[in-house]
Amino acid sequence: MKTQLLSQTQISQASELLLQGEIVGLPTETVYGLGANGLNPSAVENIFTAKGRPQDNPLILHLGETSWLSRYCIDIPDVAWELAEHFWPGPLTMILKRNPVVPDIVTAGLDTVGVRCPDHRLCRDVILQTDRPVAAPSGNTSGKPSPTTSKAMLEDMDGKIPAILEGGACRVGVESTIIDLTSSPVCVLRYGGITMEQLERVLGTTLKQETKAENAPKAPGMKYRHYAPRASMTVVVGEGSQSADYIQKHLKQGEGVLCFTEYKPLFSGFETCDIGKENDFTQQGKRVFEALRAFDKSEVNHIWAQCPPERELGVAVANRLQKAASFQVVTL
Ligand code: TXA
Ligand code: MG
């Protein structure tokens, strides 16, 4: 099977394929997803095969609009509607009690379901035209960095799925934030495109930092190796000039550097990938997965990475880098 790249005028084709039980690559504002009709168990099963994903790892159900919440969830607390009003369409996934119409294969048998309404016009048009929720994980092969362009998705999925809808480079670039609204107090299971600061402003409470996903792998997917480039990797946590200095001292021939724009000139002669200026977390979010993928195309045998501080979107970027490095981290 050759994977077809659909243009933005081919929304009906994408929707047709979904209704026929096929899987389709869909752009979202976070990363590209591997979508199937979320009400068709055998279609959803194909996702796990294409991705090589363990079946105990549940999928997010993507909704066409906020009102669909009550189609697929039950016992919806007021706070869910409030969060949806503030952040949907957008990069926030809410874990809620599932309505039994949602097949077991989507939720890996859990009595909860993750739902979000994506902020990408083409994606939502496809979902609305299909009039079905779309179950979709990130469109990478299990364990690899998530794809933020159709080209990156094609690298992993060519020949495995019939089509990918071209939707340009993803605006956010890291996955959605996942908040569990079925636990008390509510907790964040994955840092992502909506920051802790944004959530706290709406919730009116502080979200505890102990809810860090790596310490509490309540989202089943968090226990698996993730985002990993071929080369081994060390993340250096600290102020930019200090981490650059540390990396310069330790860097050996044949190794590469993932750095902030300001420090790139320090590493001339080495394979480098800059993810944006030190304080530009938005740019870093957009570029982090592409950078990790770029190193896979080079010969480097080790990657040294500078790391943004744990605030705002920096938290999500730092988390992706540290997971990619299997938590091999030096703190200065
Ligand atoms: O931005 C995103 O969220 C992207 C785009 C495509 O929407 N999707 C995405 O899906 O990142 P995936 O499957 O790569 O990651 C979903 C995470 C997994 O770690 C999974 O274990 C967790 O969400 N998850 C899904 N349903 C859950 C549930 N009911 N309870 C706890 N965790 C859940
Ligand atoms: Mg993923």
Side-chain angles (χ1 to χ4, degrees):
M1 178 201 313
K2 174 115 181 69
T3 304
Q4 200 194 345
L5 205 55
L6 300 176
S7 74
Q8 51 176 309
T9 56
Q10 293 178 294
I11 286 171
S12 310
Q13 279 92 323
S15 170
E16 258 321 294
L17 283 167
L18 290 174
L19 288 171
Q20 289 162 8
E22 297 286 352
I23 45 184
V24 178
L26 292 173
T28 82
E29 79 283 27
T30 57
V31 300
Y32 275 70
L34 197 55
N37 172 359
L39 300 181
N40 177 344
S42 68
V44 174
E45 214 171 311
N46 291 333
I47 293 177
F48 291 89
T49 317
K51 198 174 153 75
R53 175 166 172 135
Q55 287 215 358
D56 65 348
N57 193 359
L59 304 174
I60 294 171
L61 215 46
H62 296 71
L63 312 181
E65 49 186 60
T66 302
S67 65
W68 289 19
L69 254 183
S70 41
R71 292 196 200 170
Y72 306 111
C73 304
I74 54 172
D75 300 342
I76 304 167
D78 290 344
V79 67
W81 294 107
E82 207 176 320
L83 288 171
E85 187 175 322
H86 276 87
F87 300 117
W88 281 5
L92 181 70
T93 295
M94 301 195 269
I95 307 292
L96 291 163
K97 284 244 185 74
R98 97 161 140 156
N99 183 317
V101 298
V102 179
D104 270 339
I105 183 136
V106 172
T107 66
L110 297 173
D111 60 2
T112 57
V113 61
V115 285
R116 87 174 188 100
C117 180
D119 184 22
H120 193 295
R121 194 63 250 174
L122 296 181
C123 181
R124 232 168 44 250
D125 282 350
V126 171
I127 300 172
L128 288 169
Q129 195 167 122
T130 312
D131 199 25
R132 304 284 188 285
V134 168
S138 50
N140 52 288
T141 300
S142 229
K144 293 243 285 172
S146 303
T148 53
T149 60
S150 60
K151 190 161 166 271
M153 184 160 181
L154 208 53
E155 283 168 9
D156 285 14
M157 291 299 150
D158 197 12
K160 296 186 177 155
I161 61 172
I164 298 173
L165 179 63
E166 175 58 69
C170 300
R171 172 175 68 77
V172 178
V174 290
E175 300 91 337
S176 59
T177 299
I178 303 180
I179 187 166
D180 184 354
L181 299 180
T182 66
S183 69
S184 177
V186 302
C187 71
V188 169
L189 303 184
R190 178 175 73 185
Y191 296 129
I194 297 294
T195 65
M196 298 292 271
E197 291 87 344
Q198 283 175 295
L199 287 171
E200 285 171 348
R201 272 198 294 276
V202 173
L203 295 170
T205 54
T206 355
L207 288 161
K208 285 212 198 108
Q209 289 290 319
E210 292 92 79
T211 55
K212 273 191 178 177
E214 58 268 34
N215 299 332
K218 270 190 67 191
M222 299 316 247
K223 67 176 184 260
Y224 296 108
R225 184 156 191 249
H226 243 95
Y227 314 129
R230 243 182 339 93
S232 58
M233 180 165 158
T234 305
V235 173
V236 185
V237 174
E239 200 261 313
S241 58
Q242 286 179 334
S243 58
D245 189 49
Y246 181 94
I247 292 171
Q248 258 196 320
K249 287 195 177 113
H250 290 79
L251 185 61
K252 294 201 278 296
Q253 233 13 271
E255 299 183 332
V257 188
L258 184 151
C259 61
F260 301 129
T261 313
E262 297 91 322
Y263 305 100
K264 192 175 160 93
L266 298 180
F267 307 112
S268 68
F270 289 88
E271 190 76 37
T272 57
C273 220
D274 92 77
I275 58 167
K277 291 216 175 110
E278 184 171 1
N279 289 316
D280 190 349
F281 306 141
T282 305
Q283 184 71 273
Q284 293 166 23
K286 265 187 215 172
R287 287 198 199 160
V288 65
F289 284 134
E290 275 299 295
L292 291 170
R293 280 182 176 261
F295 283 114
D296 274 357
K297 296 185 189 97
S298 77
E299 297 294 308
V300 301
N301 53 39
H302 189 75
I303 303 163
W304 293 92
Q306 292 193 282
C307 187
E310 304 233 342
R311 64 182 155 82
E312 298 160 26
L313 207 58
V315 179
V317 175
N319 171 272
R320 301 312 184 272
L321 288 172
Q322 295 184 16
K323 289 196 118 211
S326 300
F327 297 103
Q328 189 163 305
V329 178
V330 175
T331 305
L332 301 177

